[in-house]
Structure formats: structure tokens, C-alpha cells
Amino acid sequence: MHSRDLQVFMKIAEAGNLHVAAAALGVTQPALTKLVRRLETSLDVRLLERTARGVALTEFGRVLYARSKTLQQVADDTLTEIGDMKSGRSGQLRLGAVPTAVDTAVAPVLKNLLTAHDPIRFFVTVQLSSRLLQDLQAGLLDFAIASIPAQVPDELCFLPLWQQQTHVVSRKGHWLQRRPFTLEDLSQQPWLLPPANIVLRTWVDSMFTSAGLAPPKVFVEADASPAALATLVRTSDVLTAMSIDTLNTPMGSGLAVLAPPAGAWTTHLGLFWRRSAYFSRLMERCRDSLLAAVDQRSGAAKA
């Protein structure tokens, strides 16, 4: 097997369609079919099977795809390491973060690493924790600042950073801010929440189900941080859950924490990276700068 063949096979697997993969690679579909047959012959197994929409990986194909992905990551890391050895620096670092970490961690780190004589480039993506860890495992990110799950995948390493408090919030002036209320009152309000597979949604749902109530009415379900739709919460009676870190930024303007029995939850954030990845000098600098920013944040909070 040649590395180029494995790279092309990865493209086919990700596209799930020979025609789409051929167009993306700028080759003919028969050429891709021939390549797949060559791989299958050399391994003496079937790698793809036909589906109504194109092709799908067989069990053997999934193994080859996973190993090819690992080999590609090793190759990329090797080039990075050699670049570090030659120049003492690396070109780009791919950093993912949850929205609440942007102002408190990402911005200070970027500021600290911004120098006129060091050609560092950053790719930054802001997503929910589950998506960030998926992208990190897939090799699309070098670092992720995300919530620490109950079960951290074996292929990931992490450093604990800080804890953040998350509360149920509403607009200032909402009737729930002016008089006592019950959990049943909360359940009858319209809510802005992430999808059911996200920890924040699980927390909110359990606040009601543990009291024998039905989960709240979800008016808007969004696969982004509730902070992205803060304007909706600020200008309507919609409720959501938001971290104190976010409330202390301009996005939290006009919003306020609801008193008990509205719930509050503690989230532990961490810095994640792939266990198998080459830890470049740029990654070391980014990690050290991030830890310094966290220490400064902790010191300011205590003061």
C-alpha cells in the first residue's frame, strides 16, 4: 500500500460516494474504483459496500480508515516536529474553545503570543464541548478548552483549568425576578436550550424530572451556546442556562440569575489534546500562556 492510496481511500470514506470523491480529487470515478480494488486485492478483504446513496465502509474498511487517519496525523506531526527543529517555532496552532472560555482564556492567550517577530498563526473555532472533543479526536484540532466529561476518551489527555457556575437566567424585569415561583412555574415557561445529548440540557431536564415534573417546554433548540442567542433572552420571556463567566461579559447585559428553586450547576473546564500527538513548541507556549491566564483569573477572583 502507498500513502497516496490511503489518503485517497480516506477521501472516499469521508465522502461516502465515489462520484463526489472523484470530483473533489479531480480524478475520474473509474480511477477511484480501480484504486479501491487494488487495495482490496492487496489486503484480500472487502473495504466498501454499495448503498442507496453511494458506498459505506465494511468492518475492514473502518479499520483501514482509522489506521490511515492515525498515520496521517503521525505524518503531520512529523513535519511539525522537523519544522520546530529547524526554526524553533511552528506555523499554526488549531485551538477550539467553548464560548465561555473565549474572553477569559483564549483572548488573553492570543494577546500574550502576539509578537511582531514571531510568525505564529492561529485557527480558532468556538463550539460546544461535545463537538470540540470530536474534532480533537478526528485530528482537526491541536487543543480544545472544553468541559471535562464523566468519561474522558482514552486517546485524549487533559489538564484541569477552572470551575464555572451555570445558572438559570432570564431578562431583567421578568416576572420570575419579581416574586417567588415554583419549579412548575419554570416548567411552563418557554426555554432556549441545546439538544438532548448535551450536558447542559441534561442538567436542566433533570432539575424537573427529579422533582416529578415533565421537562420544560423548549421553544428554541440550538446547537450553539445559549449566549449566541442572548438577544432573544434579553428581549423576551424565554429562559435559558448560562455561566457566570458569560453573564459577566457584554453578552450577559440585561440578563439576571433566577433565585432558587431554579438550579445551579458546576462545570469543570479542561485543556485537552491527543495522547498520540507530537507536543510542539508552539503547543507548549500556548499551554503555558493559558495556565498563566488561568492563574491570573483565579487571583483576580480571589481579590
Side-chain angles (χ1 to χ4, degrees), residues 35-222:
L35 179 144
V36 172
R37 287 175 179 168
R38 183 167 66 245
L39 286 173
E40 290 178 331
T41 299
S42 66
L43 295 170
D44 195 24
V45 295
R46 287 192 62 193
L47 299 172
L48 299 175
E49 55 188 6
R50 296 282 181 179
T51 68
R53 295 184 176 182
V55 292
L57 295 174
T58 64
E59 182 179 0
F60 298 108
R62 287 192 292 272
V63 171
L64 182 61
Y65 174 77
R67 298 306 183 194
S68 299
K69 195 82 171 177
T70 300
L71 288 172
Q72 184 62 52
Q73 291 173 4
V74 170
D76 292 343
D77 288 343
T78 300
L79 292 176
T80 300
E81 185 172 3
I82 290 174
D84 274 1
M85 293 173 64
K86 289 170 58 180
S87 64
R89 64 191 60 160
S90 182
Q92 184 182 62
L93 189 140
R94 302 164 299 172
L95 174 63
V98 291
T100 55
V102 172
D103 288 336
T104 55
V106 175
V109 167
L110 297 182
K111 178 182 177 181
N112 290 340
L113 296 178
L114 179 62
T115 60
H117 304 292
D118 200 350
I120 299 173
R121 293 177 296 113
F122 285 88
F123 169 80
V124 178
T125 182
V126 180
Q127 299 283 350
L128 296 178
S129 293
S130 58
R131 175 63 182 275
L132 291 174
L133 296 185
Q134 290 173 8
D135 286 353
L136 182 62
Q137 290 175 268
L140 302 178
L141 296 173
D142 300 306
F143 273 144
I145 303 173
S147 298
I148 302 174
Q151 186 66 43
V152 178
D154 291 339
E155 59 266 38
L156 297 182
C157 295
F158 74 97
L159 281 174
L161 295 177
W162 74 88
Q163 297 180 10
Q164 63 179 13
Q165 295 293 319
T166 298
H167 295 264
V168 178
V169 302
S170 72
R171 64 175 175 85
K172 293 179 179 178
H174 195 292
W175 73 265
L176 290 169
Q177 300 280 355
R178 300 195 300 269
R179 62 176 187 263
F181 57 87
T182 66
L183 280 178
E184 187 170 5
D185 291 329
L186 286 184
S187 70
Q188 297 304 310
Q189 303 303 305
W191 282 75
L192 161 66
L193 290 172
N197 62 328
I198 303 301
V199 172
L200 178 60
R201 174 68 173 275
T202 302
W203 284 344
V204 174
D205 285 352
S206 66
M207 178 174 66
F208 297 99
T209 57
S210 62
L213 298 172
K217 299 176 180 179
V218 179
F219 174 63
V220 176
E221 185 175 89

